[in-house]
């Protein structure tokens, strides 16, 4: 995955985003961090925990419709703590999203009670959204806020480009335009983001990517994958490249001379993984 290592960070942008997040944190009570439930580690910006510090946060394990439900339950447990709650959601259908507001109310109960004691009748909760590209932030905002957008310019002290959305009376969310990058310098992270389609695969060797995905699938052995390609236990013991050739032949993907068209099979395999045809698969588990 040498190509992955060629993707460079933009240190200037990162510093700017970091500064913007730190500044925006002073405007909110909580952070909503969106992750991809299939790869909760690889889809997490490596600096985010340090940046958020003690601010209460809700981690949304989004795209849970494509992840293994048992693995997602383990992640919800592993990521939940005193100041952090985790929630499995499918922002495309809205599944689980209605649990967010009560969860935030619970996380912020001390603060909200304090404000009520001071005489504020309906103290509002403000949360900001963070997440690397493609985890589903826009889908989440559309789902939760619909068209209830408030113009950023309506509010004093708000960074240009930031957008406030009113979810309901007493609950507002801030979408930040700063791009948070994943941990690109770790080739494994790059691969996993590429498997899910978060990184375009035209920047890397597609056969190598498919072979690396098969390395994982051979170990995870998702039923839908095994049944789809009618793979026996012996066949699952083949090297990943030989397995790719077998899958190509089984699908009738041959080049002239009758050899397996592994390039076409690679594109097909990645496509089927991304559309969940190989099953609901989580590629990373909590340690
Ligand atoms: P971003 O703002 O964080 O960059 O992500 P965005 O909302 O644009 O979502 C990225 C892709 O993920 C979109 O697919 C979106 O539909 C999909 N997505 C978001 N949430 C979920 C979910 O819970 N489940 C599933 N299965 N998919 C989800 P796309 O192919 O880029 O666009 P589209 O063809 O769906 O419009």
């Amino acid at each position: 995955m040498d190509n992955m290592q060629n993707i460079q960070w933009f240190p200037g942008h990162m510093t700017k985003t970091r500064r913007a997040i730190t500044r925006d944190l002073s405007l909110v009570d909580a952070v909503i961090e969106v992750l991809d439930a299939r790869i909760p580690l690889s889809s997490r910006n490596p600096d985010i925990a340090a940046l958020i510090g003690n601010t209460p946060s809700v981690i949304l394990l989004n795209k849970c419709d494509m992840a293994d439900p048992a693995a997602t339950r383990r992640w919800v447990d592993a990521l939940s703590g005193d100041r952090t709650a985790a929630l499995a959601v499918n922002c495309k259908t809205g599944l689980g999203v209605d649990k967010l507001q009560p969860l935030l109310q619970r996380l912020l109960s001390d603060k909200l009670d304090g404000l009520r004691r001071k005489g504020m009748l309906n103290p509002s909760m403000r949360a900001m959204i963070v997440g690397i590209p493609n985890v589903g932030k826009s889908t989440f905002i559309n789902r939760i806020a619909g068209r209830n957008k408030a113009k950023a310019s309506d509010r004093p002290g708000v960074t240009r480009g930031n957008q406030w959305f009113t979810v309901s009376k007493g609950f507002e969310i801030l979408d930040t335009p700063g791009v948070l990058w994943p941990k690109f310098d770790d080739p494994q992270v790059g691969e996993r983001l590429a498997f899910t389609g978060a990184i375009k695969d035209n920047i890397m060797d597609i056969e190598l990517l498919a072979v690396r995905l098969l390395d994982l699938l051979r170990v995870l052995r998702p039923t839908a994958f095994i049944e789809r390609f009618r793979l026996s236990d012996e066949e699952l013991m083949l090297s990943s490249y030989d397995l790719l050739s077998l899958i190509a032949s089984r699908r009738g993907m041959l080049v002239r001379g009758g050899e397996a068209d592994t390039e076409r099979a690679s594109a097909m395999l990645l496509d089927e993984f991304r559309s969940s045809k190989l099953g609901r698969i989580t590629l990373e588990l909590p340690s």
Side-chain angles (χ1 to χ4, degrees), residues 62-66 89-93 132-140:
N62 189 34
K63 311 197 185 185
C64 71
D65 52 307
M66 298 204 267
V89 291
N90 171 354
C91 290
K92 231 171 162 171
T93 62
I132 67 165
N134 215 46
V135 285
K137 296 181 297 300
S138 315
T139 312
F140 164 70

Side-chain angles (χ1 to χ4, degrees), residues 210 213-231 235-236 243-244 247 251 269 272-273 276-281:
L213 178 60
L214 284 173
D215 286 345
L216 288 175
L217 295 179
R218 279 172 49 218
V219 177
L220 294 168
R221 297 186 168 219
T223 311
F225 161 69
I226 291 171
E227 287 176 354
R228 199 166 176 83
F229 299 116
R230 304 188 311 279
L231 299 171
E235 286 165 346
L236 283 165
L243 189 56
L244 181 63
I247 286 172
R251 279 287 169 95
L269 187 77
E272 296 200 351
F273 172 78
S276 297
K277 291 194 178 108
L278 308 182
R280 295 175 67 173
I281 302 170

Side-chain angles (χ1 to χ4, degrees), residues 33-44 59-76 79 87-90 134-136 196 273 280-286:
E33 184 184 2
V34 187
L35 303 181
D36 184 324
R38 295 167 296 175
I39 46 168
L41 290 173
S42 296
S43 62
R44 193 165 207 201
I59 295 172
L60 296 182
L61 291 164
N62 189 34
K63 311 197 185 185
C64 71
D65 52 307
M66 298 204 267
D68 171 26
T72 301
R73 280 194 295 275
R74 282 181 63 184
W75 273 113
V76 166
L79 292 169
L87 189 61
V89 291
N90 171 354
N134 215 46
V135 285
T196 63
F273 172 78
R280 295 175 67 173
I281 302 170
T282 300
L283 297 175
E284 298 169 340
L285 289 173

Side-chain angles (χ1 to χ4, degrees), residues 112-164:
L112 296 173
D113 286 347
L115 289 169
R116 282 190 201 99
R117 274 197 301 274
K118 283 184 188 158
M120 201 179 277
L121 281 180
N122 290 309
S124 68
M125 298 189 296
R126 290 185 180 163
M128 68 190 261
I129 316 283
V130 295
I132 67 165
N134 215 46
V135 285
K137 296 181 297 300
S138 315
T139 312
F140 164 70
I141 289 169
N142 286 338
R143 168 66 47 190
I144 196 165
R147 290 180 193 165
N148 295 334
K149 289 185 193 176
K151 278 192 199 132
S153 53
D154 290 349
R155 290 167 184 276
V158 172
T159 317
R160 224 179 120 83
N162 280 357
Q163 289 244 20
W164 283 96

Side-chain angles (χ1 to χ4, degrees), residues 259-283:
E259 265 183 49
D261 187 346
T262 45
E263 196 176 334
R264 226 179 113 204
S266 298
M268 177 268 300
L269 187 77
L270 289 162
D271 193 53
E272 296 200 351
F273 172 78
R274 288 171 191 156
S275 52
S276 297
K277 291 194 178 108
L278 308 182
R280 295 175 67 173
I281 302 170
T282 300
L283 297 175

